[in-house]
Amino acid sequence: MRNLKLVKSLQSSELQGPGSPQSFCVRGDAGSLLVASAYSITEYDPRTGQIVSEASLTADGFLPEDGSGVVVGVQDLAELESACLATAAGDVVLFNLNTCQLECVGSVDSGITSMSWSPDEELVILTTGQETIIMMTKDFEPITEVGIHQDNFGEGKFITVGWGKKETQFHGSEGKQAAQRKIQEVQPAVAWDDRRPRVTWRGDGQLFAVSAICPRTGSRKVRVWNREGVLQATSESINGLEQALCWKPSGSLIASTRRHPNKHSVVFMERNGLLHGDFTLPFSKDQAKVKELLWNSDSSVLAVWLEDMSAGEDGQVNSYVQLWTVGNYHWYLKQSLGFGRDPQKAPVWVCWDPVAPLRLHVITQSWTTITYDWGWITERSPGLDVTDNASVAVIDGERVLVTTFRQSVVPPPMCSFELQLKSPVNEVTFLCRPQGTNQLAALTANGQISVFSQDSGTQTDKTADGFRIVSHPLVLQKTFRLMSLQDFPLALRQLLWLQDELFLGVSPGLLPTSTTLLMLRPAQDFSDTLTISSKLEVDGVVASVVHGSQTGTVALQLEDGQIRKLLWDCPEPSLEDFCDSNGCCVSFPHPCIQTVLCSIGGEEHLLGLTERSHLYAGKTQLASNISSFAICNDFLLVTTHSHACRCLQLCTLTVKGLQEALTSDGGQNDETIRRVERGSRIVTVVPQDTRVILQMPRGNLETIHHRALVLAQLREWLDSLRFGEAFECMRKQRINLNLIYDHSPKVFLENIQTFITQLSSINHINLFLTELKEEDMTSSMYPRPQSGTVQPSQPVSKQKKVDLVCDALRNTMEAMDTNKFFLSILTAHVKKTVPELEIALQKVHELRENPPDTPGAVNAEEALKYLLFLVSVNDLYEYSLGTYDFDLVLMVAEKSQKDPKEYLPFLNMLKSLEPNYQRYTIDKHLKRYTKALIHLSKCGEEHFPEALQLVKEQKLYSEALRLYPADSTHYKDLSCAYAEHLVEQQQAEQAGLLLWRCGVLPRALQAFTSSSSWRNAICVAQQIPLPPDQLALLARDLAEKLTEQRRYSEAALLLDQYAKDCEEAILALITGAAWEEAQRLIYVHNRQDITETNLKPALLEAVSTQTTFLEAQMTTFRRHRTRLAVVRERKEKARLDVLDEDGPDCADADLYSEASSVMTGSRYSQSNSRISSRSSKNRRKAERKKLSLKEGSPMEDRALMFALVDIITMVDKMREEVHSLLKALVLFQFDKQAEKLQMTYEEALQTMEAAVPEVWPEGAQSSQAPLTGPNSTANSIMASFQQQQKPAASQQDAEIPSPPKMRNGVKWKLTILK
């Protein structure tokens, strides 16, 4: 649905010469024109008006001097830097563009009728006066010469398999009489045909077609040849086929023209010569003749060059050039250039530019060259509010096809309505005034502007046949005539309708590099004539004019990318530079084919899209893969070549933020991006709506509701409390309904009644309730815009979201009308976090008992049926049973699919039971064992065994103890059962406490003894009481258990006080190294003999053991410390070597300790990879397993550090033990042994304390600073810096242990020892 809009035109009349131009072509690399006449060949640059080079064709005798010679073709040869031209006399001449020398490279005696070069300039085809084809290489070496007229069809001849005759075939709508119809004779070519062959190449240069007059029939036939000069196919005999011929560069269709008895059309043929489609030209049968057909380089536009067949009263004929495009299998006439009747202004040659696809070159009889540059544009109405119909206008000859997308989406070539004019339309524009953007003005080829607007009269929405009118067509209000501006077609371009009676147009300036801006208003004397109210000369060629709908700014873009602002709303219009907020001039780095004014972050910017799909905001490139874009309200919508449509809110972004957003890939819940079909382009966006209209490459339309637009619209509706519209939109677009609450919880809870009133439908309220989730959709599925005025929602209550909303809605509905909203009230009960099914069932039961009198109210049957829809029938049956209301149970059971034989016997059995036992049975059936126990405890003494069994089975001991008095026998029985359970659970001490308080002393004593709780055991034994001998035996048993647990002091206490065995007590203390307590008991019981026999030998043995242990630990410590230094040195060296070789991208540089570990490190790191999902304890164990002390292992340095931590910690913990031993040694005059031990231990502590800074250098725990210094390289510094950026998760395997803290505050040394 795009139109061709003239971007710029250049007319140059400086080129003059004798005679008239006969042929010309365009130099693709230089942009100059090669013009050949009967006298000379000239290279001319229309941009500068200078002749680059020129050579006479008559001086060297290539053409006669009387001007009767004819040049049949000119071709630029870029590789040879020459131009090749052919004359009708048969000469092929090369014109050297550097030396301006002419060289005849060949001659054909019979003359040359046409010349055509292949697209790759490797081959040239010449047709001769003898009706032959000569094929030559680019070096003019002949390849083959064949006759044009061949008797055979060609290599692609159709194969007939002999299935029936023509008389028996199906003839469609023509009927059976078509079989007897006589074959019409082929009519000869029209009289005005120049009878010259036409040659055209396919775009890939593999095939070419020749159209020539058949000598037998006199009609034209088309033959297709391959690159080797072999005939491939011959067209069927086609009546009325004319001379024009052009092969579509990017397709397999060959275009020509055909004159039918009742119409004149452009027809297309396939490479096999068969017809394949056509379209009708807007002329009567004998009104015009087609001189040439020309495809542009990208096959998007077909130019038709025509001329009237009959002369006017002045004896002159009109000339036309029409531009046609195709979409959805329909051909549109987009531009019509009328050159008038003046023979000097008539074009003598037309051609497309080989580089710029939409640039057309025309040269007239008077040597005037005109260059037109078009661009694709979608003409859409610029409105911003709901009054704008989102209209899109499509030009199709004398019709303007208007589609109003707000009312309906009509696929092209159909439309909402057509506007018929009297002349072909070249440009349309919508009124820029707010509230009037549906009005349209059309500029026609005859220089008139027709204004269309909505009919001010009464309009009926229904017609007589009952159909409703969706889109009211616009009505022609006025037609303005334009004063003559220029003497060539399309002198007025870039038309902009600023106000009701003010137009802005662009026309060529006084200089080729200037432009004139025209302000057009109706003349005072002639209201139907537009006159120039003011002119403004612009230094530069204006390529686009755009109006800002929000600010009214008019911006101009010049062809070099400069941007100007037009101050038009003043008596004398003027121009100024377009500046940003800092006062700096803004311009595009490259010219843009589409420009739009918009506001980004509150500042006005001009966005532009280049031919190479680069989107700019002034000088800043926003993206480089944009295929189309549009601005709607505050949103920028773009489609990309990666087949995505992005929608960004401009008020929340800066230019830099917009650039980052367009280049990012988007997250999982990114609402700004969605996938679209390949090649989709934006047609329009409906203002104040969510619809985006896309057009596919084949022409069909698709409507999408972009999630960003939908969410923005929903947020606007929710802020304005339009819950009904928001709900309907969310239903259609499948937006989670939780957003209604999550957008603003406080506002929603304050306006629940408004919400219920607007939804009105019970089904809608129920749908909202059933979709409620605890998840906050504004932080997960629909995140809020990154910046904006909307603040994140705060929790309004500590209550869960679902419960809060359900309760609030239920309370409001009950206050409004319980009967009307009864089903919704039930839904609110059921959908809570803990469903309140019992309450819901009770309400249904009450409704059954007291049915409402209100008409239309829900009855109990309907309510129960709805409840069964929400909840499983089995669950509902169980819940109803849990209410102990058998009427309710029967009501539910009757509505279920249950067989009465399944539930009636059970219900009858329950009815026959005592109430408490009945409830116990029901609760046990429902597995509500706590409630069952409560009811069973009320059933009397006879049911206690059953209760005790229930407690044991379900382990309800604590609950059961709270149900019985503490002085009852039941309490005692439950306590004993509980104690047995605790003993089984290895909690014998707690079992003993239960038994003790219940008075079961023997079992309590047994429990305390087994748990080594000796103090409680002694107390219970004293309470029993036990005889002294049994008490002593008990004490010995307990002491033995305590000794096994290395609790020597407690064991000594039992042996001394309760077993009365002082010697065993003292020996236990000596074994536990409690030297001072052992001496106390020795003197208490006067057993000094034990000092000599046991105490002193034990002291000597202890000092020897401690000294040996310390020496062994120190030896290990020194070995690990030395090895750690070596490992660190090798590792650092290896890391630097790798960095210097591989650069900073080597991610494993810090894993190298030495050469062997580089090669074999993987076998250590992979051994425990399966443990990643286990518990944290197992993961820590797995990590420690990676730390091997084996030399060369990848983490040897970490393992050494952990080993050193263990040694230091172990030695430091010996301070109290060494202090006690030293005191005992001094007491018994073992000074030498004490001095040696103290010296050994002190050396050990000092050595370890001094080693801590070496093993744990400062900063080892934090990220290392970037490695710098004279020995560093650029790679090593970069790698060191990048190492700091690594996430902590990647460093878990290389965790470094913290340095141990030594307890220097603990006093252990004896000053009496040296």
Side-chain angles (χ1 to χ4, degrees):
M1 301 187 72
R2 295 184 297 172
N3 296 324
L4 284 174
K5 189 169 187 177
L6 185 62
V7 176
K8 59 183 178 180
S9 62
L10 176 62
Q11 180 187 13
S12 178
S13 303
E14 283 76 9
L15 179 62
Q16 294 296 329
S20 62
Q22 294 181 347
S23 181
F24 90 120
C25 68
V26 183
R27 291 194 65 190
D29 52 351
S32 57
L33 305 179
L34 292 171
V35 185
S37 68
Y39 297 94
S40 64
I41 179 170
T42 306
E43 181 183 3
Y44 175 70
D45 191 346
R47 295 166 297 183
T48 61
Q50 300 294 323
I51 294 176
V52 181
S53 58
E54 185 176 13
S56 173
L57 296 175
T58 59
D60 294 335
F62 296 112
L63 291 177
E65 295 182 358
D66 59 358
S68 61
V70 176
V71 177
V72 297
V74 177
Q75 175 68 37
D76 172 49
L77 303 177
E79 185 176 347
L80 300 178
E81 295 184 349
S82 301
C84 178
L85 59 92
T87 67
D91 293 329
V92 179
V93 182
L94 272 185
F95 172 47
N96 191 303
L97 298 172
N98 295 325
T99 63
C100 299
Q101 297 295 318
L102 294 173
E103 178 188 1
C104 181
V105 295
S107 181
V108 180
D109 295 338
S110 60
I112 298 176
T113 54
S114 68
M115 178 185 71
S116 179
W117 284 78
S118 63
D120 57 5
E121 299 180 1
E122 293 290 332
L123 300 176
V124 60
I125 299 296
L126 302 175
T127 59
T128 70
Q130 294 179 345
E131 302 291 331
T132 62
I133 298 174
I134 299 176
M135 179 183 291
M136 294 187 293
T137 66
K138 64 180 179 179
D139 299 323
F140 302 100
E141 295 180 359
I143 297 176
T144 184
E145 181 176 0
V146 295
I148 295 178
H149 307 291
Q150 302 284 331
D151 294 332
N152 63 328
F153 180 87
E155 288 186 346
K157 184 178 181 180
F158 304 118
I159 299 174
T160 302
V161 295
W163 287 348
K165 298 180 180 180
K166 184 175 179 61
E167 292 79 6
T168 62
Q169 301 302 311
F170 177 69
H171 299 282
S173 60
E174 295 181 349
K176 290 185 178 181
Q177 61 271 19
Q180 288 79 31
R181 185 181 301 164
K182 294 182 180 180
I183 301 177
Q184 296 181 357
E185 294 183 0
V186 180
Q187 299 176 358
V190 292
W192 57 264
D193 194 311
D194 61 10
R195 313 189 76 80
R196 288 172 47 197
R198 294 292 194 279
V199 182
T200 180
W201 286 84
R202 198 169 70 176
D204 59 1
Q206 298 301 312
L207 299 171
F208 66 91
V210 179
S211 172
I213 299 290
C214 179
R216 289 184 299 175
T217 62
S219 64
R220 280 193 174 265
K221 273 194 175 183
V222 178
R223 290 176 172 84
V224 179
W225 310 73
N226 67 7
R227 196 177 177 88
E228 287 73 33
V230 179
L231 181 64
Q232 299 297 301
T234 303
S235 70
E236 56 186 325
S237 298
I238 302 174
N239 271 330
L241 190 65
E242 297 178 339
Q243 64 185 22
L245 188 73
C246 190
W247 202 319
K248 189 175 183 181
S250 63
S252 60
L253 296 181
I254 307 169
S256 185
T257 57
R258 182 183 182 187
R259 193 174 300 275
H260 299 267
N262 58 346
K263 64 179 181 178
H264 196 183
S265 62
V266 174
V267 296
F268 301 101
M269 290 178 284
E270 299 179 8
R271 57 169 291 183
N272 57 14
L274 296 180
L275 292 176
H276 185 92
D278 64 353
F279 68 88
T280 303
L281 293 171
F283 300 99
S284 59
K285 174 187 173 185
D286 296 321
Q287 181 179 350
K289 60 182 178 181
V290 178
K291 301 192 71 174
E292 291 293 343
L293 294 176
L294 303 104
W295 287 101
N296 69 336
S297 59
D298 65 357
S299 304
S300 59
V301 183
L302 177 63
V304 183
W305 176 16
L306 306 105
E307 189 178 275
D308 281 349
M309 293 186 63
S310 57
E313 296 178 356
D314 53 0
Q316 306 298 330
V317 294
N318 275 323
S319 296
Y320 315 91
V321 174
Q322 296 182 341
L323 304 186
W324 293 79
T325 65
V326 65
N328 225 12
Y329 303 100
H330 176 77
W331 283 88
Y332 299 85
L333 174 56
K334 292 298 185 183
Q335 294 283 292
S336 183
L337 286 68
F339 291 88
R341 296 181 179 274
D342 188 351
Q344 294 300 313
K345 297 179 182 179
V348 296
W349 201 262
V350 180
C351 75
W352 288 101
D353 193 277
V355 177
L358 296 180
R359 179 176 296 166
L360 185 70
H361 300 274
V362 179
I363 188 167
T364 66
Q365 192 80 23
S366 60
W367 292 84
T368 300
T369 62
I370 311 174
T371 302
Y372 295 100
D373 284 89
W374 282 278
W376 292 109
I377 189 170
T378 302
E379 293 291 353
R380 55 176 77 96
S381 55
L384 301 175
D385 52 19
V386 294
T387 61
D388 185 87
N389 290 332
S391 302
V392 174
V394 180
I395 296 174
D396 187 13
E398 297 180 354
R399 302 180 304 162
V400 177
L401 312 179
V402 182
T403 302
T404 55
F405 286 101
R406 182 176 294 278
Q407 284 77 23
S408 59
V409 178
V410 182
M414 297 181 290
C415 58
S416 299
F417 54 86
E418 297 180 2
L419 304 178
Q420 184 68 44
L421 293 99
K422 298 179 181 179
S423 179
V425 180
N426 285 332
E427 190 172 351
V428 294
T429 180
F430 287 90
L431 180 60
C432 298
R433 176 178 57 81
Q435 309 298 322
T437 54
N438 295 323
Q439 300 182 43
L440 178 146
L443 173 63
T444 56
N446 60 359
Q448 295 183 344
I449 297 179
S450 300
V451 175
F452 295 84
S453 61
Q454 293 175 337
D455 191 0
S456 58
T458 58
Q459 296 178 341
T460 58
D461 288 341
K462 291 188 177 180
T463 59
D465 53 5
F467 287 97
R468 184 169 62 90
I469 299 176
V470 176
S471 299
H472 292 279
L474 300 179
V475 178
L476 179 64
Q477 298 292 336
K478 187 178 294 185
T479 299
F480 295 103
R481 291 186 297 107
L482 287 174
M483 300 298 292
S484 178
L485 300 175
Q486 293 285 343
D487 55 355
F488 68 94
L490 303 183
L492 182 66
R493 67 178 192 273
Q494 304 286 346
L495 189 66
L496 205 60
W497 192 5
L498 296 176
Q499 293 179 349
D500 290 333
E501 294 186 344
L502 176 61
F503 292 88
L504 171 63
V506 178
S507 68
L510 301 176
L511 299 175
T513 58
S514 66
T515 306
T516 303
L517 297 181
L518 306 176
M519 307 296 290
L520 304 174
R521 295 180 183 272
Q524 296 181 356
D525 299 334
F526 304 97
S527 59
D528 61 344
T529 303
L530 285 179
T531 60
I532 301 173
S533 62
S534 59
K535 284 185 179 183
L536 186 63
E537 196 74 13
V538 181
D539 184 13
V541 178
V542 175
S544 66
V545 182
V546 62
H547 177 269
S549 302
Q550 295 177 337
T551 60
T553 303
V554 174
L556 313 176
Q557 181 206 186
L558 306 185
E559 64 175 349
D560 59 356
Q562 296 185 51
I563 304 173
R564 300 284 187 269
K565 182 184 291 186
L566 175 64
L567 305 179
W568 59 275
D569 197 9
C570 55
E572 290 296 330
S574 61
L575 286 176
E576 66 178 17
D577 291 334
F578 194 93
C579 301
D580 57 15
S581 58
N582 298 324
C584 300
C585 295
V586 178
S587 62
F588 290 130
H590 304 282
C592 296
I593 57 175
Q594 180 186 355
T595 55
V596 173
L597 277 168
C598 66
S599 177
I600 303 176
E603 182 181 350
E604 191 171 32
H605 289 268
L606 183 63
L607 299 184
L609 181 65
T610 68
E611 291 181 345
R612 297 184 177 274
S613 304
H614 292 190
L615 182 65
Y616 288 94
K619 296 181 180 179
T620 305
Q621 179 177 313
L622 301 178
S624 59
N625 65 335
I626 306 300
S627 58
S628 66
F629 79 101
I631 299 291
C632 180
N633 300 111
D634 195 32
F635 288 90
L636 167 66
L637 290 100
V638 300
T639 56
T640 67
H641 291 300
S642 56
H643 326 307
C645 179
R646 306 203 68 152
C647 181
L648 300 168
Q649 194 167 8
L650 297 177
C651 67
T652 63
L653 295 171
T654 61
V655 173
K656 185 176 181 180
L658 184 60
Q659 182 183 32
E660 294 174 352
L662 286 173
T663 54
S664 65
D665 294 332
Q668 180 179 2
N669 292 324
D670 188 1
E671 67 185 47
T672 66
I673 187 170
R674 66 162 288 165
R675 305 294 295 174
V676 293
E677 187 177 334
R678 179 188 298 269
S680 300
R681 292 179 180 271
I682 298 174
V683 175
T684 189
V685 185
V686 182
Q688 301 298 330
D689 204 315
T690 61
R691 285 174 287 170
V692 181
I693 313 300
L694 302 176
Q695 186 169 27
M696 306 302 110
R698 58 184 176 273
N700 62 308
L701 300 180
E702 285 188 6
T703 302
I704 65 171
H705 294 261
H706 201 289
R707 184 56 53 91
L709 290 177
V710 172
L711 292 177
Q713 187 69 60
L714 288 175
R715 294 181 183 116
E716 182 180 338
W717 280 335
L718 293 175
D719 288 337
S720 57
L721 303 182
R722 295 160 67 180
F723 297 110
E725 296 175 32
F727 183 86
E728 286 298 327
C729 179
M730 294 171 82
R731 284 185 63 209
K732 293 178 181 177
Q733 303 305 323
R734 298 185 179 182
I735 304 294
N736 195 296
L737 296 177
N738 283 267
L739 185 62
I740 296 177
Y741 172 84
D742 293 334
H743 175 71
S744 183
K746 184 178 179 181
V747 172
F748 177 81
L749 293 176
E750 291 173 353
N751 297 275
I752 285 186
Q753 187 169 354
T754 305
F755 171 76
I756 296 173
T757 304
Q758 291 185 8
L759 260 62
S760 68
S761 170
I762 305 300
N763 293 333
H764 291 175
I765 298 174
N766 293 341
L767 180 62
F768 172 74
L769 286 168
T770 53
E771 280 204 17
L772 284 175
K773 295 180 181 178
E774 289 298 328
E775 179 184 1
D776 184 2
M777 295 300 164
T778 60
S779 59
S780 57
M781 189 176 294
Y782 311 120
R784 300 178 185 275
Q786 295 180 357
S787 60
T789 57
V790 182
Q791 298 296 325
S793 58
Q794 300 293 334
V796 296
S797 172
K798 294 182 179 180
Q799 190 178 0
K800 289 185 176 181
K801 165 187 160 182
V802 175
D803 296 342
L804 180 65
V805 176
C806 287
D807 290 341
L809 280 170
R810 176 176 51 80
N811 294 333
T812 305
M813 289 186 291
E814 288 176 347
M816 293 175 65
D817 189 342
T818 303
N819 294 330
K820 178 181 178 181
F821 300 108
F822 189 80
L823 296 183
S824 299
I825 293 172
L826 292 182
T827 308
H829 283 297
V830 172
K831 290 304 295 181
K832 292 189 70 173
T833 308
V834 179
E836 298 175 346
L837 290 177
E838 297 180 5
I839 300 177
L841 286 168
Q842 194 61 42
K843 288 190 175 184
V844 174
H845 184 62
E846 292 173 1
L847 185 68
R848 186 177 186 180
E849 296 296 327
N850 303 306
D853 299 332
T854 309
V858 179
N859 56 39
E861 301 294 327
E862 295 174 349
L864 185 59
K865 186 177 181 181
Y866 175 74
L867 206 56
L868 288 171
F869 172 75
L870 293 178
V871 186
S872 169
V873 62
N874 293 325
D875 293 343
L876 197 62
Y877 176 78
E878 302 293 341
Y879 271 99
S880 63
L881 194 60
T883 62
Y884 316 118
D885 188 339
F886 290 101
D887 292 339
L888 191 61
V889 175
L890 286 173
M891 184 178 68
V892 174
E894 289 171 358
K895 288 295 178 183
S896 69
Q897 300 297 323
K898 289 180 176 291
D899 188 347
K901 295 179 181 179
E902 297 179 15
Y903 60 85
L904 284 180
F906 178 65
L907 295 180
N908 292 332
M909 182 270 294
L910 291 175
K911 289 181 180 179
S912 64
L913 300 177
E914 186 267 335
N916 284 322
Y917 196 77
Q918 178 190 84
R919 295 192 173 188
Y920 154 73
T921 307
I922 292 174
D923 290 330
K924 187 177 180 182
H925 172 74
L926 299 178
K927 297 182 180 180
R928 301 189 302 190
Y929 298 109
T930 302
K931 284 189 175 183
L933 180 62
I934 294 173
H935 291 129
L936 188 58
S937 66
K938 300 175 182 178
C939 292
E941 298 289 335
E942 66 275 11
H943 292 288
F944 178 74
E946 190 173 356
L948 182 60
Q949 183 63 27
L950 179 65
V951 169
K952 290 181 178 180
E953 289 176 355
Q954 304 302 325
K955 298 180 177 56
L956 301 173
Y957 299 102
S958 299
E959 293 83 351
L961 290 175
R962 288 193 288 268
L963 296 175
Y964 293 93
D967 56 350
S968 64
T969 57
H970 298 328
Y971 190 89
K972 184 176 181 180
D973 293 341
L974 288 170
S975 297
C976 292
Y978 196 6
E980 291 177 1
H981 174 70
L982 290 174
V983 170
E984 293 175 358
Q985 299 296 319
Q986 306 298 321
Q987 299 179 17
E989 186 176 10
Q990 296 184 43
L993 292 174
L994 279 175
L995 294 170
W996 189 4
R997 74 177 187 178
C998 292
V1000 187
L1001 299 181
R1003 294 179 60 184
L1005 178 61
Q1006 183 180 358
F1008 286 134
T1009 302
S1010 63
S1011 63
S1012 299
S1013 179
W1014 63 272
R1015 291 180 177 86
N1016 289 328
I1018 294 298
C1019 292
V1020 173
Q1022 297 280 5
Q1023 188 177 351
I1024 289 181
L1026 285 180
D1029 55 340
Q1030 293 185 10
L1031 183 61
L1033 184 60
L1034 175 64
R1036 287 185 179 277
D1037 291 341
L1038 290 172
E1040 184 178 355
K1041 290 185 177 183
L1042 293 174
T1043 302
E1044 293 175 355
Q1045 300 172 11
R1046 304 180 68 85
R1047 297 161 63 182
Y1048 297 104
S1049 297
E1050 296 173 77
L1053 181 62
L1054 284 170
L1055 291 170
D1056 181 38
Q1057 295 186 7
Y1058 298 100
K1060 306 302 181 181
D1061 189 344
C1062 65
E1063 183 175 353
E1064 288 295 329
I1066 294 170
L1067 293 177
L1069 292 171
I1070 292 173
T1071 305
W1075 313 111
E1076 294 180 353
E1077 183 65 17
Q1079 293 176 51
R1080 187 186 70 81
L1081 288 183
I1082 286 174
Y1083 285 101
V1084 167
H1085 296 286
N1086 195 21
R1087 291 296 305 272
Q1088 286 80 2
D1089 58 303
I1090 298 179
T1091 302
E1092 298 296 333
T1093 58
N1094 296 92
L1095 182 57
K1096 289 182 178 181
L1099 285 171
L1100 294 174
E1101 183 181 358
V1103 71
S1104 175
T1105 303
Q1106 294 284 30
T1107 304
T1108 305
F1109 176 76
L1110 285 173
E1111 291 174 352
Q1113 291 297 317
M1114 285 306 300
T1115 302
T1116 305
F1117 183 84
R1118 292 189 183 95
R1119 185 174 67 251
H1120 288 348
R1121 178 182 174 184
T1122 304
R1123 177 61 186 170
L1124 179 61
V1126 174
V1127 169
R1128 284 180 172 173
E1129 182 180 356
R1130 293 181 178 178
K1131 192 176 213 181
E1132 183 67 15
K1133 182 179 179 182
R1135 188 174 71 89
L1136 293 177
D1137 290 344
V1138 172
L1139 288 177
D1140 289 337
E1141 294 175 4
D1142 296 341
D1145 295 332
C1146 183
D1148 298 329
D1150 58 338
L1151 297 181
Y1152 300 115
S1153 61
E1154 59 181 8
S1156 61
S1157 66
V1158 174
M1159 301 302 296
T1160 62
S1162 61
R1163 65 188 179 95
Y1164 296 101
S1165 60
Q1166 295 177 1
S1167 58
N1168 291 297
S1169 61
R1170 296 177 292 104
I1171 316 178
S1172 59
S1173 61
R1174 297 183 186 176
S1175 65
S1176 59
K1177 181 178 179 181
N1178 288 340
R1179 281 199 300 270
R1180 287 194 298 270
K1181 186 183 295 184
E1183 295 298 328
R1184 293 299 297 270
K1185 284 184 179 181
K1186 295 180 181 180
L1187 305 177
S1188 172
L1189 290 174
K1190 182 179 178 181
E1191 292 189 5
S1193 62
M1195 296 187 183
E1196 183 185 359
D1197 55 342
R1198 307 308 195 259
L1200 289 169
M1201 294 178 72
F1202 275 107
L1204 290 173
V1205 168
D1206 294 341
I1207 294 174
I1208 295 174
T1209 304
M1210 190 183 307
V1211 172
D1212 188 66
K1213 287 181 179 179
M1214 295 173 59
R1215 293 175 185 265
E1216 293 84 356
E1217 188 177 352
V1218 169
H1219 180 63
S1220 176
L1221 181 57
L1222 288 175
K1223 290 191 293 183
L1225 290 171
V1226 169
L1227 179 63
F1228 293 106
Q1229 296 184 352
F1230 295 130
D1231 291 358
K1232 288 184 179 181
Q1233 292 85 343
E1235 288 175 358
K1236 182 180 179 182
L1237 175 61
Q1238 181 168 303
M1239 184 185 307
T1240 304
Y1241 190 57
E1242 185 176 12
E1243 290 177 358
L1245 291 178
Q1246 289 177 353
T1247 303
M1248 293 177 181
E1249 189 172 1
V1252 168
E1254 177 186 342
V1255 178
W1256 288 271
E1258 187 175 355
Q1261 294 304 302
S1262 61
S1263 298
Q1264 297 180 358
L1267 180 63
T1268 58
N1271 296 325
S1272 301
T1273 63
N1275 288 339
S1276 63
I1277 294 173
M1278 179 60 69
S1280 177
F1281 177 78
Q1282 289 182 350
Q1283 192 67 23
Q1284 300 177 57
Q1285 314 303 321
K1286 289 185 178 181
S1290 65
Q1291 298 178 357
Q1292 289 180 354
D1293 292 343
E1295 182 181 359
I1296 300 175
S1298 301
K1301 296 181 179 180
M1302 302 187 70
R1303 301 177 301 157
N1304 294 327
V1306 177
K1307 302 299 183 181
W1308 63 274
K1309 292 177 61 177
L1310 298 181
T1311 57
I1312 60 177
L1313 296 174
K1314 293 182 180 178

